[in-house]
């Protein structure tokens, strides 16, 4: 690694030297678009990674306006060559066959993609490309024309971050601190408060795995936190409580995936989570043959909002909504006694029957059910944090991954829209009808 | 690595289990094209890498005929969706802009590319994709229609083997034997006879560097062999002779790149050599500040053939050709005295003036001059092996890489077709006119 | 590492199996002294590491009383064989020569040493031996007879932790967290408050190095913290202040060794510090040629106490002591103006003239001066923490390490008791006479 | 590793600089004995590893005579301080107790040991100490006085190469070539002809393990070659034959340890083999649960010689001896038919009844039986190489390691001199009486 870093910097230095040799301009002052233009001519070949380094350096020195200009220029000045494309289209239209179609594809590939591939050649180039997309994404709403630029970035990043290039690594307390601090920074579901909290999550009865890409050796792409327990866990506070009894890994029969977080904004929309879960299941089965059940403990981030949107649907539903208007209702046993059954039934309805574009309305449900998991259990007071109460009415859901049924579950879901669930959820679903009657 | 391998096999096992669960078929017997079709539906997402493993396994079991059928099916059954492409073209023709052009590109991307990306997800998938292309290449002459399939393979492999993902590693005698044996197998310029010969080439006065890709950790992609010497070396036999005096690396002033070999047939046409040379120059400068000159010692594989083709051009040229008809002329001082000057002059002419498609006729010259190297010296009796005498009339050429001039050399070459050369070569060139006068 | 750990546990299991095969006893219940006795017979050879594992396991299960008994038994039951020793002595006395002297040495080596060597064979045995000594040391005051047992432990540990077996490793923010947390735990000079404080100490303008032993790969033995600065630093609070400006390492001309801490109680009295400093000097010189000065910033842990013990020595000294009776005097400019000069002069006297057993009374001074460092500068308000004010009257000392003078400094110190110091310290020393006049 | 090497050389340079600073002498010209004397004074502490490096350098430059002088000086000038020893002895004789005995041990430890410990501090010091002993051993026969010097070397090396510090590593085809070439050099039982032969021995149905010491990371200390087979193997030629069918490791039920070789002459007499075999057994059991039998395939290096020494013992024995006087008798079926039974019976007698100093006369038998192995089978025509026929009359022996019985076998052997053997060997033993009757 040391060698490699030294080497990279010697490359970069050599690159700067190459460019400094040009009369009248150094890398710093060079116009980034001119550099990009050079990068995709034969000159890019000849100057090796020097031009790519120069683009990376120049971009790093750009302010927000200059970055926006850069993206806009990518859109306008590095698009397709229309004449070439038109000719390819004409040939295809004259004789549509695989070859002419392929020629259309080649001609329709924008020069932007060649620029992005060129930038990636620099040491640290992959990081730079991801950073560029991270800068680009927030601009899309105001400038939808840039979506085409984003498509080119996403297309290449999807190809480069193909699952076959990702490396699964276990994260534990012997992992370098510069990686561990990123878990603290990126944890998106249940905040990691500090290093002690992190250490607890990496204890002997826990597992944490992340995907890494070789070009970003110190940067997790996505990570999952797992608790090894006895029986299905239903409360995340219990899992995270430091005072809870620890179990010897070999005595655990259940692995609970209680948090999964993406780390790289610049890779948004490039999915790793489905691979990660299944491969961690495979890994854990190999390490700990005593594990029989693999299940998530998942939030329902849209349930609270949906619930409020249902007001007026029925008197009994409104009655439930009135009860949970009370602040801190989840800590009031009188109230929880009354709303527990109704809310769990409504939750079953929400997960199974509320749809958007043919799939479950709830994004987390859509993800796990689409992966072939089964809706196993709804947990009362599973997350009593303010966020949990607000967003999920305190509920958490177990989605169960059983490798033997993943394909059939998935087929039922994908072909027939059928959500495979446990008998218990089925009963809650049946009971939910009372609230939905108009 | 051990962990990773264990993990990969557990993944593969899990994958097989997933598929074995399907009623009525196991991975082995599954039709490879059905598997490929599944791979690019939503099912590919859900079954993770299992389907990709199954394709890899199934392909491995194919015989030659089945492989040919597989490629043909890729061409015919996994092409573009013409209806979608036609619609995209119509939209583009109605309003040609970056977005509609981008949509054409997306629509014109064949399903083959999605299949290949899917296969790459398997453990060992990158290796499998390269092997597929290695199997495909020899079929192209007989079945030119498959060139479109090859274009898809090459397009993706070029993107994946982007220089930014390659790792330069030094190879020496402490390199694992399973990598070293590949140097013996792949050396393409000056055969490595055995392990003793290899060891000599990895000695303290030698350097060897190779590019690796993270998905093929034990497979060099290309490697270069370098000798550290005092002054420009002109004879490869002297360099390879075990009896030659060894120099302390810190005393060397010159690095001679005397052999560069590609290793992966399946990556044909994807160029690494230009990056490799420049980065090894950068690396060596960092390690050994005493090095002042970086030069190749290169063959002229087409010189012998060209020379014969010139018979009849002039009487003086024919006289030279007559002299070297003598077997073993290179070992006969009477003959070598007579032909040395003429052959070196003719060589200067051949390198500088003989062209094909605008560039030097000689492939090696085209490569180094296009990289920005300068034609430095022609060496008499540089390679007296039978192959060297036959192909290059015993001559070897030094192309000099001077980072400070690479860009200007390249520009002169690329824009004006000018070949930058030393004064000595210039004189030989001037003298060559006598042979070319008709 | 993973492989190695797996292997170690398989060894340990095999060992337990070996022992469980014995009729009537398992490792757990086995009497630790019987196991030790077996360990040094031929049986120890035959059973490999199994017996050693059993001793380690059994010791781990001992309570304090059992441990004390174990050490006492080592003293009494695993001593020398007096008959053999007497015979060897008789032979030596009859003919004193290297061979008979050597035989005395062999005969006088206690069986304890063989026991300790035997225990070390177990996986984790070195750790166990160090832990044993850590348990033993606090018993010595009450049971001085055990000092002989301690001598045997120390003798072997000194041999095993020979500098030639130690590995210097740089510690930085990419070091595994399980090692970093040990820095926090073991820092003995300037407490590391938390992970943020640690991270600051591992920043780009800092260096931290530790010695490790291969048998304890995750356990630093001793570590030193270095700040890269411009000019000699005199205040540790400034160094540790997060708000201080950071310097690019290549711009630094001075390396300040501001903290050095031993980590293993069980290795007490086995000195690594002198090696560590010199080797870090060598390492830093190699990495950063701009560094010209290497100096400590050291406390004077005995100065405060000595100062109080001097009361009555002279009126002027008593006057100083009266002024610093004021709480928080170091924060009162009126007071510090008055005591600065006197305290620095008294400090010069303390460091140079106050002796114990021929060396400096101050332990830190004894260490650095004995290493060949030179007494460079006394720093006013160098450490204004409560501990610094209490123990060192706020002063810190720079001891300068100049490789070119280490030998001559050391010789002057060792042979003539001469303390090499700067001119400035010499002037302070001269002025100190006023306080020491009776 | 790179870092470490760089560091070591910077240390060595710093050391040389320290010493070059001395007026009037540099490291090269310094008298090695003066350097050794300095090394054990306080100066050794102060100058860190510089003096140790100087000793190592100076020794490397010594010729044979200078080395002999060095060892002689170690004997005479670096012995004990007799006055100190006499005082310690007097105190012990006045009051013999653990403390006075310990003081005798300390006083009787020669200064040589301190010198050797000092040398070990240098980078490469452990290698240097081993090399010194390798140079010393051949001198002992001519100068038996040096045996005491050798005892000091051996004593320290035994302590440093304690099994707890050794690392077991698997050797395979991905092991660095600089380690593999040492297997070729050191193989002592069945010569490795070339790299192809080596590769065959590292194939998927083979295992090779070696012990390494952290101070010699590229140097195997001892290695064992194992073949995974089905059923007990009896012929080494079959095992080494490249044409033999290979078995999948998971299908093997037997591991045959067919060669074990020590690598470091300077570590002669320090035993690793007993640990190695048992730990490889443990390792293989963990990796391949299908393995049920662990057995050696061992030569009987003294059998041929003993057989000849028995001439005249009985007529029947002499008849056998006459038959095997025939050259190449092992290839003559008429002869082998006649001598097979008698030779195997005589072999059983030789292994079980022929003793030296209470143990088996045969060194290999003594080693394995002392380790707790059982004499399992004698193999006819097990090694038909010229060496095998000459030394072992073509026989090879299987010694079986069964962890469950190692202790009881060992006890029977150690306490009662009993050799545990199979029923078959018992029958051969009984039949052997006919040849031994006088």
């Amino acid at each position: 690694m040391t060698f490699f870093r030294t080497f990279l910097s010697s490359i970069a230095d050599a690159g700067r030297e190459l460019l400094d040799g040009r009369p009248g301009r150094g890398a710093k002052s060079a116009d980034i678009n001119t550099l990009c233009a050079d990068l995709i001519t034969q000159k890019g070949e000849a100057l090796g990674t020097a031009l790519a380094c120069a683009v990376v350096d120049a971009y790093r020195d750009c302010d927000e306006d200059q970055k926006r200009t850069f993206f806009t220029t990518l859109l306008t000045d590095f698009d397709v060559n229309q004449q070439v494309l038109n000719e390819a289209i004409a040939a295809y239209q004259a004789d549509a066959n695989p070859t002419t179609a392929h020629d259309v594809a080649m001609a329709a590939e924008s020069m932007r993609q060649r620029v992005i591939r060129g930038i990636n050649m620099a040491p640290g180039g992959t990081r730079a490309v991801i950073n560029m997309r991270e800068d680009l994404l927030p601009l899309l709403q105001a400038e939808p024309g840039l979506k085409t630029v984003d498509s080119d970035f996403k297309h290449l990043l999807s190809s480069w971050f193909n699952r076959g290039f990702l490396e699964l690594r276990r994260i534990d307390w012997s992992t370098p601190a510069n990686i561990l601090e990123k878990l603290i920074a990126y944890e998106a579901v249940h905040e990691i408060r500090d290093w002690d909290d992190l250490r607890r999550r990496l204890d002997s009865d826990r597992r944490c795995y992340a995907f890494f890409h070789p070009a970003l050796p110190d940067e997790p792409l996505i990570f999952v936190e797992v608790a090894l327990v006895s029986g299905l866990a239903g409360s995340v506070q219990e899992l995270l409580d430091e005072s809870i009894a620890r179990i010897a890994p070999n005595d655990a029969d259940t692995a609970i995936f209680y948090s999964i977080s993406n780390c790289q904004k610049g890779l948004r929309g490039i999915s790793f989570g489905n691979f990660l879960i299944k491969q961690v299941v495979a890994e854990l089965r190999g390490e700990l043959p005593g594990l029989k059940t693999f299940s998530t403990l998942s939030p329902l981030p849209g349930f609270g909002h949906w619930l409020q949107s249902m007001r007026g649907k029925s008197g009994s539903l409104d009655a439930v909504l009135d009860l949970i208007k009370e602040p801190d209702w989840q800590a009031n046993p009188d109230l929880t006694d009354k709303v527990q059954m109704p809310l769990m039934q409504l939750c079953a309805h929400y997960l199974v029957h509320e749809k958007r574009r043919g799939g479950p309305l709830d994004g987390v449900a859509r993800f796990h059910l689409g992966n072939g998991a089964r809706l196993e259990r709804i947990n009362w007071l599973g997350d009593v944090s303010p966020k949990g109460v607000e967003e999920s009415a305190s509920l958490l859901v177990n989605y169960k991954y059983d490798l033997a049924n993943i394909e059939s579950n998935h087929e039922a879901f994908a072909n027939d829209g059928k959500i495979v669930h446990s008998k218990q959820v089925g009963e809650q679903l049946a009971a939910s009808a009372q609230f939905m009657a108009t």
Side-chain angles (χ1 to χ4, degrees), chain A residues 332-345:
Chain A
N332 180 338
D334 286 344
L335 289 174
T336 57
D337 278 1
K338 287 183 191 141
V339 298
Q340 174 173 3
M341 294 273 288
L343 283 175
M344 292 175 79
Q345 291 160 359

Side-chain angles (χ1 to χ4, degrees), chain A residues 266-286:
Chain A
L267 296 176
R268 196 172 76 192
I270 301 169
S271 179
F272 309 117
N274 51 350
F275 299 119
L276 182 62
I277 292 175
K278 282 163 204 162
Q279 296 183 11
V280 170
V281 169
E283 172 58 20
L284 287 172
R285 288 205 317 177

Side-chain angles (χ1 to χ4, degrees), chain A residues 370-387:
Chain A
N371 274 341
R374 142 180 161 138
L375 173 51
E376 189 67 16
R377 198 172 80 179
I378 296 165
N379 298 284
W380 181 240
L381 299 183
D383 181 0
V384 295
S385 74
K387 184 183 167 201

Side-chain angles (χ1 to χ4, degrees), chain A residues 300-303 306 345-354 361-362:
Chain A
L300 312 83
F303 180 52
W306 171 82
Q345 291 160 359
L346 283 160
C347 177
H349 170 90
Y350 166 75
L351 291 174
V352 176
H353 291 318
E354 295 295 325
L361 175 60
D362 189 82

Side-chain angles (χ1 to χ4, degrees), chain A residues 12-299:
Chain A
D13 290 350
R16 291 199 187 88
E17 185 178 325
L18 276 177
L19 294 172
D20 288 347
R22 303 203 208 184
R25 52 176 155 139
K28 288 282 171 201
S29 62
D31 172 34
I32 185 167
N33 295 117
T34 308
L35 291 168
C36 287
D38 284 357
L39 196 56
I40 60 175
T41 62
Q42 205 192 24
K43 197 180 290 184
E45 285 287 284
L47 295 187
T49 54
L51 279 167
C53 289
V55 175
V56 170
D57 284 358
Y59 182 82
R60 194 186 297 120
D61 293 343
C62 284
D63 61 23
E64 277 195 29
D65 276 348
Q66 291 169 320
K67 286 177 179 177
R68 183 181 291 107
T69 306
F70 169 63
F71 294 124
T72 306
T73 312
L74 280 183
L75 180 68
T76 53
D77 295 12
F78 293 90
D79 199 51
V80 298
N81 180 325
Q82 290 203 0
Q83 188 188 334
V84 172
L85 177 55
N86 291 340
E87 287 167 14
I89 286 174
Y92 168 75
Q93 288 176 327
D95 178 9
N97 63 43
T99 303
T100 54
H102 180 79
D103 291 345
V104 170
M106 291 296 103
E109 191 184 276
S110 70
M111 284 179 285
R112 278 185 296 281
Q113 290 204 17
R114 292 179 59 199
V115 170
I116 299 170
R117 283 195 204 96
I119 295 170
N120 189 66
M121 295 191 305
T126 311
R127 174 77 275 167
V129 169
I130 293 173
N131 289 348
M132 285 177 180
R133 185 163 181 247
E134 186 173 342
D135 293 340
L136 173 61
L137 285 168
L139 307 178
L140 298 187
Q141 195 153 16
E143 305 193 40
L146 292 177
K147 278 183 185 163
T148 300
V149 178
D150 180 54
S151 284
D152 284 317
F153 273 99
K154 189 179 170 190
H155 180 73
L156 285 175
L157 288 169
S158 297
S159 185
W160 290 338
F161 285 77
N162 183 291
R163 189 276 160 272
F165 299 131
L166 304 187
E167 184 194 354
L168 186 81
R169 287 196 227 155
R170 182 166 166 199
I171 305 283
D172 61 20
W173 192 238
S174 69
T175 298
N178 62 339
I179 292 175
L180 291 183
E181 70 176 349
K182 282 160 194 161
L183 301 199
I184 299 180
Y186 295 137
E187 160 68 46
V189 187
H190 305 291
E191 187 203 7
I192 302 176
R193 290 188 310 277
D194 54 24
W195 285 83
D196 290 333
D197 189 6
L198 175 65
R199 192 181 174 163
R200 174 68 192 99
R201 299 190 192 199
L202 300 174
D203 229 326
S204 62
D205 62 338
R206 301 299 162 96
R207 291 292 181 274
C208 179
Y209 291 89
F211 272 140
F212 289 80
H213 188 277
L216 303 172
D218 295 338
E219 287 280 0
L221 306 181
I222 187 172
F223 63 94
V224 63
E225 296 167 68
V226 185
L228 305 174
V229 294
S230 214
L232 218 51
S235 158
V236 75
Q237 274 75 30
E238 280 180 26
L239 282 183
L240 295 181
D241 187 335
E242 289 191 36
S243 64
I244 214 174
R246 299 176 187 194
I247 196 173
N250 284 317
D251 295 340
D253 59 14
T254 302
I256 298 290
F257 293 63
Y258 67 92
S259 183
I260 182 162
S261 302
N262 282 294
C263 305
Q264 306 294 330
K265 282 187 194 158
L267 296 176
R268 196 172 76 192
I270 301 169
S271 179
F272 309 117
N274 51 350
F275 299 119
L276 182 62
I277 292 175
K278 282 163 204 162
Q279 296 183 11
V280 170
V281 169
E283 172 58 20
L284 287 172
R285 288 205 317 177
E287 187 202 344
L288 298 168
L291 290 176
K292 302 301 174 205
T293 304
F294 298 86
S295 170
T296 72
L297 183 61
S298 303

Side-chain angles (χ1 to χ4, degrees), chain A residues 393-427:
Chain A
S394 93
L395 300 177
L396 289 180
V397 182
N398 298 122
Y399 298 100
K400 190 169 161 186
Y401 280 82
D402 180 349
L403 292 189
N405 298 322
I406 279 183
E407 187 177 17
S408 58
N409 291 349
H410 167 75
E411 301 264 305
F413 180 82
N415 300 342
D416 313 323
K418 198 181 147 201
I419 291 174
V420 180
H421 56 68
S422 66
K423 196 171 155 228
Q424 187 189 24
V425 170
E427 289 162 2

